[in-house]
Amino acid sequence: MSVEKDINSIDAKTGDLRKVTAKAHEAEIKVAAHDLNRRESLSAYFTILAAGFGLISDGYQNNLMTMSNVIFKELYPNDYTSTVSTRVSNSLLVGAVLGQIFVGLICDRVGRKVALVSTTLLIVIGAILGTAAHGAHGSAQGLFWFLTIARGITGVGVGGEYPASSTSASEAANETAQTNRGPVFIMVTNFVLSFGGPLAVSVFLIVLSAAGDNHLETVWRVCFGIGILLPLTVFFFRLRMLSSKLYRKGAIKHRVPYGLVFKRYWRELIGTCGAWFLYDFVTFPNGVFSGTIISSVIHNGSIKATAEWQLLLGIIALPGVFVGAYLCNRLGRRNTMMLGFSGYLLFGLIIGLAYNKITKIIPLFVIFYGLMQSVGNMGPGDMLGLTSSESYATPIRGTCYGLSAAIGKTGAAIGTQAFTPIQNNLGKQWTFIIAAICGVTGVLITYFCVPDMTGVDLADEDAKFMKYLADNGWEGEVGEDNEKAFTDHHVAEPGSTERL
């Protein structure tokens, strides 16, 4: 395939400069995406591993309040009302929305490494504050306001991890294992996020067994404190990492054509944003309040018994992640996501319509509840992050991924806020019936708006995006630092040394 280049020789101190057309840069992206030296290859593998370790801290933080809610209700029965519980739980979500939007922008406009290091620090700071939380003069309300602020700061870091880790992992997987990009991505993103649930409950059970039922304050503070250690495991690697070759070749840090971006990707944005909203609207409140739901079903059960049933619930939900990773290449991303949303319809109706009978058999209720969460993991849980990282070109991947995830977390916040009123006014079974309705809506949005990028090289979409920009008259710098190329009338320096 011939590559068209307009070459103008110019005498300058830095040597000959060349004018590179958008078509030439398009071909350059395709060739360079998989042409890695040894250090770049090692960095790509460590980026993938670091994403897994980073996101496991997200999964831990997302599920930390599951058993903490039960403890706070036990310690502060008059102060920890449903309003306070929702506020503390939602603070993480509000912070996450802000983190996903702003860190998504930082990912694209400043760099992947800056975004990753920033999110790690925010999670550590928020976790330290949460562990040390106290109210003035022992005030319970002061404690919960302190926790609200601390969880909000943690949330900004947790939310920022989504676009920062996921875009980096997707690009690194594309460079090192393009045909298996989907399964690799799922195992270092949704698997570790889902594993955070059983991990948080397991840590809780170990600490509870060590401290005893009479030291519940110690239990929740130790559990919060462990959340400090998890993100620190990847901090050194992130300081040393390189941005992906795709990003270094294709970044647009100035004069980003957001109007053209929306014009090209509006349907994909409706798909990823809408499906993520529905998924988080269902799954997040059912995760946060699952401990409360189980404790109400088992009647007068101890905190330890509630945690044990909660652990079983989390374990049952995990196999769906592996099934999704297996199917994503065979069925395709879109079909697997539709299958998962269909599971919400099936299990949501089974539990919702037979709620009063099924809750009398606790193991059966927990199994069906776990299966509903498992099909959620298999479908939208696995596929949403994957499709959001694949559907958009590298220069705006972090921004569009962050926006999609932020809309999802908005759904989670609304679902969490509405969860208790729905239970109180319509009945507990309606939380499951509404999940079934969301499942049907999710199938429709996925079918019409989510593209299937199974087997497509991310560099191909980057090349198409560059051509699209050139065809629409956009001119600007493309590439990071010394690796900049210029479209149309701008000048690039070929053969420049990559900044490693």
Side-chain angles (χ1 to χ4, degrees):
M1 174 179 169
S2 63
V3 177
E4 296 178 9
K5 291 188 178 181
D6 296 326
I7 304 176
N8 294 333
S9 297
I10 301 174
D11 291 330
K13 291 181 180 179
T14 55
D16 291 337
L17 299 179
R18 294 177 184 177
K19 177 180 165 187
V20 183
T21 66
K23 188 169 183 179
H25 189 60
E26 169 190 345
E28 183 187 358
I29 288 174
K30 288 185 178 181
V31 173
H34 304 283
D35 183 18
L36 307 179
N37 61 37
R38 183 173 177 274
R39 187 183 176 195
E40 287 171 334
S41 295
L42 283 174
S43 178
Y45 285 115
F46 276 115
T47 296
I48 293 170
L49 290 173
F53 281 101
L55 286 169
I56 200 171
S57 70
D58 277 30
Y60 184 85
Q61 293 292 343
N62 284 337
N63 291 276
L64 187 57
M65 291 305 298
T66 300
M67 293 310 303
S68 298
N69 279 330
V70 178
I71 285 185
F72 290 141
K73 283 184 181 295
E74 181 78 16
L75 289 176
Y76 308 98
N78 297 323
D79 296 293
Y80 201 65
T81 62
S82 60
T83 302
V84 174
S85 173
T86 301
R87 186 187 73 220
V88 175
S89 299
N90 262 355
S91 61
L92 185 82
L93 297 177
V94 174
V97 170
L98 296 174
Q100 284 161 341
I101 292 173
F102 289 111
V103 176
L105 285 167
I106 290 170
C107 263
D108 293 335
R109 303 294 295 270
V110 181
R112 307 298 198 231
K113 180 191 285 189
V114 173
L116 286 164
V117 171
S118 300
T119 58
T120 304
L121 288 174
L122 284 168
I123 294 173
V124 170
I125 292 169
I128 290 172
L129 291 174
T131 305
H134 276 88
H137 310 295
S139 164
Q141 290 303 318
L143 167 65
F144 296 133
W145 274 112
F146 199 133
L147 278 175
T148 300
I149 295 170
R151 295 288 288 169
I153 295 171
T154 305
V156 175
V158 166
E161 279 283 341
Y162 280 72
S165 287
S166 298
T167 55
S168 299
S170 180
E171 291 162 5
N174 191 76
E175 292 173 349
T176 56
Q178 195 243 312
T179 55
N180 290 311
R181 182 182 66 231
V184 170
F185 179 87
I186 288 168
M187 296 311 294
V188 297
T189 55
N190 193 48
F191 169 68
V192 293
L193 283 168
S194 302
F195 182 71
L199 175 64
V201 178
S202 298
V203 168
F204 173 83
L205 281 169
I206 293 169
V207 176
L208 180 65
S209 299
D213 291 342
N214 296 325
H215 299 88
L216 293 180
E217 182 174 349
T218 301
V219 172
W220 75 258
R221 288 190 187 277
V222 171
C223 290
F224 270 65
I226 289 172
I228 302 169
L229 303 177
L230 293 173
L232 287 177
T233 59
V234 297
F235 189 70
F236 173 77
F237 294 108
R238 287 181 168 177
L239 286 174
R240 301 284 296 170
M241 68 169 278
L242 303 174
S243 293
S244 70
K245 196 74 170 280
L246 277 172
Y247 180 76
R248 299 203 311 273
K249 290 289 184 184
I252 298 177
K253 296 188 174 183
H254 308 286
R255 299 182 64 245
V256 182
Y258 290 115
L260 290 175
V261 170
F262 181 77
K263 183 180 177 182
R264 178 175 174 82
Y265 291 115
W266 66 269
R267 188 187 299 274
E268 288 86 348
L269 282 168
I270 290 174
T272 55
C273 292
W276 216 325
F277 179 94
L278 292 167
Y279 173 65
D280 276 7
F281 180 86
V282 172
T283 194
F284 203 92
N286 274 290
V288 169
F289 294 114
S290 56
T292 306
I293 293 171
I294 291 173
S295 64
S296 69
V297 168
I298 63 178
H299 301 298
N300 301 319
S302 66
I303 292 177
K304 186 176 181 181
T306 300
E308 288 168 347
W309 284 112
Q310 181 68 38
L311 180 60
L312 176 62
L313 176 66
I315 291 172
I316 294 172
L318 275 180
V321 179
F322 299 103
V323 176
Y326 177 79
L327 294 177
C328 70
N329 282 345
R330 291 164 176 80
L331 281 183
R333 281 50 159 159
R334 181 166 54 197
N335 290 336
T336 305
M337 185 147 75
M338 290 168 62
L339 184 63
F341 273 125
S342 300
Y344 274 167
L345 172 63
L346 175 64
F347 290 107
L349 287 179
I350 289 174
I351 299 173
L353 297 178
Y355 184 83
N356 292 329
K357 293 181 179 179
I358 204 171
T359 50
K360 293 178 181 177
I361 310 171
I362 298 171
L364 185 63
F365 170 74
V366 171
I367 288 171
F368 274 104
Y369 196 4
L371 287 173
M372 188 180 88
Q373 294 190 350
S374 188
V375 295
N377 279 333
M378 176 195 73
D382 278 356
M383 297 305 124
L384 276 168
L386 184 56
T387 55
S388 296
S389 67
E390 293 178 338
S391 299
Y392 309 103
T394 298
I396 43 87
R397 179 171 293 122
T399 302
C400 293
Y401 189 106
L403 178 61
S404 301
I407 297 297
K409 279 294 180 283
T410 302
I414 294 172
T416 304
Q417 194 73 37
F419 191 85
T420 302
I422 288 172
Q423 281 196 330
N424 294 340
N425 297 316
L426 298 177
K428 293 179 180 179
Q429 70 273 19
W430 271 94
T431 58
F432 297 98
I433 295 172
I434 289 173
I437 296 170
C438 289
V440 174
T441 311
V443 168
L444 295 174
I445 289 178
T446 302
Y447 181 77
F448 288 109
C449 297
V450 176
D452 195 335
M453 300 289 285
T454 307
V456 178
D457 192 333
L458 297 183
D460 291 343
E461 179 58 29
D462 285 7
K464 291 176 184 177
F465 183 66
M466 290 299 164
K467 184 177 185 303
Y468 165 77
L469 293 182
D471 290 345
N472 283 272
W474 180 83
E475 298 178 1
E477 296 180 355
V478 179
E480 188 179 44
D481 296 334
N482 290 341
E483 295 198 64
K484 286 176 181 171
F486 293 69
T487 62
D488 291 342
H489 303 297
H490 291 265
V491 180
E493 183 177 344
S496 59
T497 305
E498 294 170 3
R499 185 170 63 86
L500 299 179

